[in-house]
Amino acid sequence: MPPNNATILVATPVAATSLEFQANFNYLIACVAVISVSAVQYLQARKRDIAVPSIGPSGRLTSYYGAVKCLSNAREMLEEGYNKVLDVLCIRSCLVGLNSLQINGIVQITPDLVEELRRVPDDKLSFLAATNDSLATKFTLGILVANNHYHIPIVRSQLTRNVGALFDAIKDEVAHAFDDNIATVGDNWVARPGLKIVMQVVCRTSNRVFVGLPLCRDKDYIDLNINFTIDVVKAARIINLFPDFLKGVVGEALTSVPSSNRRGVKHLRPLIEDRIQQYNEHGKNWPDKPNDMLSWLMDEAPEDERRNVEALTQRILTLNFAAIHTSSMSFTHGLFHLAARQEYIQPLREEVESVIKAEGWTKVALTKMRKLDSFLKESQRYNGIGLLSMARKALVDYTLSDGTFLPSGSDVLVNAVGMHYDDSKYSNAREFDGFRFANMREEGEGEGAKHQMVSTSNEYLPFGHGRHACPGRFFAANEMKTMMAYLLLNYDVKLENDSRERPKDMIIATSVVPNPKANVMFRKRQT
Ligand code: HEM
Ligand SMILES: *[C@@H]1O[C@H](CO)[C@@H](O)[C@H](O)[C@H]1NC(C)=O
Ligand SMILES: *[C@@H]1O[C@H](CO)[C@@H](O)[C@H](O)[C@H]1NC(C)=O
Ligand SMILES: *[C@@H]1O[C@H](CO)[C@@H](O)[C@H](O)[C@H]1NC(C)=O
């Protein structure tokens, strides 16, 4: 699936960017189409009305006003709904903004219902159908990716399993990428745009594991992959304004997805063709076969994709789509907490240093850095990258155990932000307590694993929960911990003007983007 998931739906800093139609002519077509399609969708949407309490205006037409409000006030609206109606409530208004004009959607909030949602089979409430729609997957990531998700088990197993074997490469890329992008001068402090440099580090590190050196450091390849996520989400928004029979044409004509694909092919063709030749000459286990994502894909791909440059390129782009913005935004949220809360630096450094001294700088060492794990986990609770989680689309009429009727075609999402800020689930939920989960691990004899960064639950949803919980989270957690440990060991970090105020998040619809304008100050470690 477009691995891209609800996550992405919820994760990309894209909504605010205006749609960049290149010519007035395009505008004209778009306007006419939008108006006529709106009318049709309006009539269709009535069939998917859900009779539950609603935040914001709930009238069929007035909810459009709610949608506009939701684009900038989703957080307040969701928290209000969580506190008011501890059951199921409708945010049809948000969904208008999110999912173009598909006016259907509810958020449900009790843990019981999350548990239930997690158990309902995919042929009734479907994750893939929800992402298929929201990302217009068939047109953005392509029909092959929409129809076959063989990369997901590879992410879950091969990628996770190889983090140990690839740890030295991951560590090496993290170090070089931070050093290249921070580029301190002598012992002076330098100001660097936080999110931007983190994107670079995450993109290089992920691609060190996806396609290896030297491509992971190629500037154009990096730009392409960083921009691709944004391309896809923008394209999906445009495509979803049109009826199905026009979507293909619109996708070709009005979006940059096709040109991104060609650009990806240009970079990957020599690499893939060389490997195809090796496979053809020596079979599956040729000598010096690289241990990377591209090889795992070529081992597992269905027959028709296995030796197909375009198809394999599309998978690599799709994985970048799933991996880069999610991890970069999550890490930057944590980096802003660290820079604003200087008191965490010392205890985290002590932990990282003592563990490395005892264990060496290995993947096993990372599992023993419990404070670091807790800090990043708390950061994801406090500023998850999405206000909502676990998108599912009803493929049949479905009635939840509390009686809520979901008409076929409606979407369900969980109010993650409400849950994460609920004092009955997290004491002093409005406090950022970096060592909250480490302390819970100390206290909860025998249930330590439950409070690790990679564990999901009914009440902890930054990676989703259940069957579709993010399969990349084991890799992402190791990558993020390695990044944070490297910074702690090698740099002093603070905010501009010695500010202790964390840069304000940018909330776009239901995405929580770490402030893209905020600088972080770095200098070579002095203490
Ligand atoms: C901190 C970083 C990340 C966050 C916060 C995140 C979050 C998520 C979420 C919320 C979902 C949907 C889960 C659900 O609805 O139950 C998801 C799915 C997914 N993620 Fe991640 N993700 C991250 C990193 C990654 C990475 C690094 C990869 C790949 C290398 C990845 C690959 C995927 C894929 C393939 C799916 C779809 C799973 C399925 O369809 O069953 N993610 N992610
Ligand atoms: C997703 O889209 C593809 C291509 O249109 C389709 O074949 C597939 O059945 C869809 N999956 C779901 C779960 O709706
Ligand atoms: C990537 O996107 C940014 C911002 O939209 C743009 O300035 C830049 O030119 C793009 N880079 C490439 C290589 O497409
Ligand atoms: C830091 O201080 C300078 C000079 O007073 C000011 O121009 C700048 O906006 C401040 N930066 C931040 C992030 O507060």
Side-chain angles (χ1 to χ4, degrees):
M1 122 273 28
N4 344 349
N5 40 52
T7 325
I8 297 302
L9 207 187
V10 183
T12 19
V14 149
T17 355
S18 60
L19 309 179
E20 290 153 1
F21 293 115
Q22 281 106 3
N24 291 339
F25 178 63
N26 290 349
Y27 263 121
L28 192 65
I29 304 181
C31 290
V32 171
V34 167
I35 292 165
S36 49
V37 173
S38 307
V40 173
Q41 297 223 2
Y42 170 79
L43 292 172
Q44 282 181 346
R46 299 189 62 147
K47 293 192 214 127
R48 300 192 297 250
D49 263 338
I50 302 169
V52 290
S54 159
I55 331 170
S58 58
R60 190 31 83 186
L61 285 173
T62 52
S63 66
Y64 280 87
Y65 165 73
V68 173
K69 190 169 155 222
C70 188
L71 280 177
S72 50
N73 290 325
R75 181 167 194 134
E76 289 74 15
M77 289 168 81
L78 287 168
E79 290 204 50
E80 176 194 332
Y82 189 86
N83 295 327
K84 227 182 346 211
V85 200
L86 271 176
D87 195 358
V88 178
L89 84 172
C90 181
I91 54 146
R92 118 173 3 115
S93 31
C94 278
L95 268 285
V96 177
L98 268 182
N99 245 352
S100 303
L101 297 167
Q102 299 156 25
I103 315 174
N104 48 334
I106 69 161
V107 175
Q108 46 165 328
I109 43 194
T110 65
D112 289 357
L113 289 176
V114 176
E115 186 59 24
E116 182 177 345
L117 187 61
R118 169 167 99 83
R119 289 171 187 280
V120 180
D122 284 289
D123 58 359
K124 301 203 165 71
L125 298 181
S126 166
F127 171 78
L128 292 175
T131 58
N132 248 0
D133 283 1
S134 61
L135 295 173
T137 308
K138 189 165 136 188
F139 308 103
T140 52
L141 298 170
I143 188 77
L144 294 174
V145 175
N147 281 332
N148 185 326
H149 314 112
Y150 77 90
H151 61 285
I152 294 176
I154 295 179
V155 170
R156 189 176 296 118
S157 51
Q158 276 93 326
L159 178 62
T160 305
R161 220 181 317 120
N162 277 295
V163 170
L166 296 173
F167 189 69
D168 284 342
I170 293 172
K171 203 169 64 183
D172 178 68
E173 202 58 41
V174 164
H176 282 101
F178 267 131
D179 292 350
D180 289 350
N181 284 283
I182 294 176
T184 47
V185 185
D187 287 339
N188 298 329
W189 287 101
V190 292
R192 298 288 177 248
L195 182 59
K196 204 168 158 199
I197 67 167
V198 168
M199 287 271 181
Q200 293 282 323
V201 175
V202 167
C203 185
R204 276 174 59 167
T205 307
S206 311
N207 281 287
R208 179 81 181 252
V209 171
F210 293 171
V211 299
L213 283 169
L215 187 54
C216 69
R217 294 186 186 168
D218 182 282
K219 183 169 176 323
D220 186 70
Y221 180 76
I222 294 173
D223 278 352
L224 163 65
N225 280 302
I226 289 179
N227 281 10
F228 183 65
T229 306
I230 298 176
D231 284 356
V232 166
V233 177
K234 265 195 212 168
R237 268 168 214 285
I238 299 174
I239 291 168
N240 278 338
L241 296 172
F242 291 82
D244 288 346
F245 74 94
L246 282 178
K247 284 181 173 164
V249 182
V250 169
E252 276 292 324
L254 298 187
T255 78
S256 54
V257 167
S259 70
S260 297
N261 294 348
R262 286 192 295 274
R263 214 164 125 202
V265 165
K266 196 184 78 199
H267 286 290
L268 285 160
R269 180 181 296 286
L271 196 60
I272 296 174
E273 284 183 342
D274 180 58
R275 293 192 193 190
I276 291 174
Q277 199 187 339
Q278 298 281 358
Y279 272 96
N280 290 344
E281 277 173 27
H282 306 284
K284 194 168 159 178
N285 293 312
W286 43 280
D288 299 324
K289 178 171 138 187
N291 186 23
D292 62 16
M293 178 63 75
L294 182 57
S295 290
W296 309 325
L297 291 173
M298 292 178 78
D299 288 346
E300 304 290 335
E303 207 50 56
D304 53 337
E305 287 188 46
R306 192 165 284 189
R307 306 289 176 258
N308 178 328
V309 174
E310 283 75 16
L312 290 163
T313 298
Q314 202 55 24
R315 286 293 152 181
I316 293 284
L317 290 178
T318 297
L319 286 161
N320 273 284
F321 173 72
I324 293 184
H325 285 250
T326 47
S327 311
S328 303
M329 298 203 310
S330 300
F331 184 84
T332 307
H333 278 306
L335 178 61
F336 287 167
H337 279 298
L338 187 73
R341 300 285 295 267
Q342 295 282 310
E343 67 273 22
Y344 281 103
I345 292 180
Q346 171 84 1
L348 285 170
R349 263 185 189 154
E350 275 169 15
E351 178 184 80
V352 170
E353 281 176 337
S354 70
V355 170
I356 289 178
K357 199 162 162 217
E359 299 283 334
W361 203 171
T362 61
K363 187 200 163 213
V364 175
L366 288 184
T367 62
K368 309 213 162 157
M369 297 176 189
R370 294 183 163 203
K371 287 183 176 154
L372 181 59
D373 191 273
S374 173
F375 188 85
L376 289 167
K377 180 170 182 133
E378 173 72 348
S379 169
Q380 284 188 290
R381 176 190 74 87
Y382 204 81
N383 310 80
I385 58 179
L387 300 172
L388 305 176
S389 187
M390 293 182 78
R392 305 289 183 263
K393 182 187 178 83
L395 298 182
V396 293
D397 289 349
Y398 192 84
T399 306
L400 292 168
S401 60
D402 72 339
T404 306
F405 174 69
L406 307 175
S408 174
S410 59
D411 292 312
V412 191
L413 297 100
V414 175
N415 187 344
V417 69
M419 189 88 79
H420 292 159
Y421 279 73
D422 180 344
D423 284 321
S424 73
K425 318 258 183 265
Y426 297 98
S427 60
N428 288 324
R430 269 162 211 289
E431 291 280 287
F432 177 86
D433 175 0
F435 299 149
R436 175 189 297 277
F437 295 101
N439 296 334
M440 285 160 84
R441 281 171 89 167
E442 302 271 294
E443 287 154 19
E445 202 54 33
E447 53 173 32
K450 204 173 104 185
H451 303 299
Q452 297 179 70
M453 190 181 164
V454 290
S455 301
T456 65
S457 75
N458 295 351
E459 291 154 19
Y460 187 82
L461 301 167
F463 289 119
H465 185 44
R467 215 175 303 121
H468 295 287
C470 177
R473 68 190 188 279
F474 306 95
F475 173 75
N478 281 299
E479 177 183 47
M480 287 164 62
K481 286 166 78 173
T482 305
M483 287 167 63
M484 194 62 97
Y486 182 79
L487 284 181
L488 286 161
L489 289 176
N490 295 284
Y491 291 95
D492 292 331
V493 175
K494 64 175 189 177
L495 292 174
E496 279 186 306
N497 301 342
D498 292 313
S499 167
R500 294 300 173 98
E501 209 167 308
R502 192 178 177 280
K504 217 164 145 3
D505 291 338
M506 187 166 90
I507 303 208
I508 307 170
T510 65
S511 297
V512 185
V513 182
N515 194 318
K517 298 209 179 94
N519 283 330
V520 175
M521 306 289 296
F522 297 93
R523 79 173 171 196
K524 269 200 201 111
R525 184 176 167 189
Q526 310 281 308
T527 49

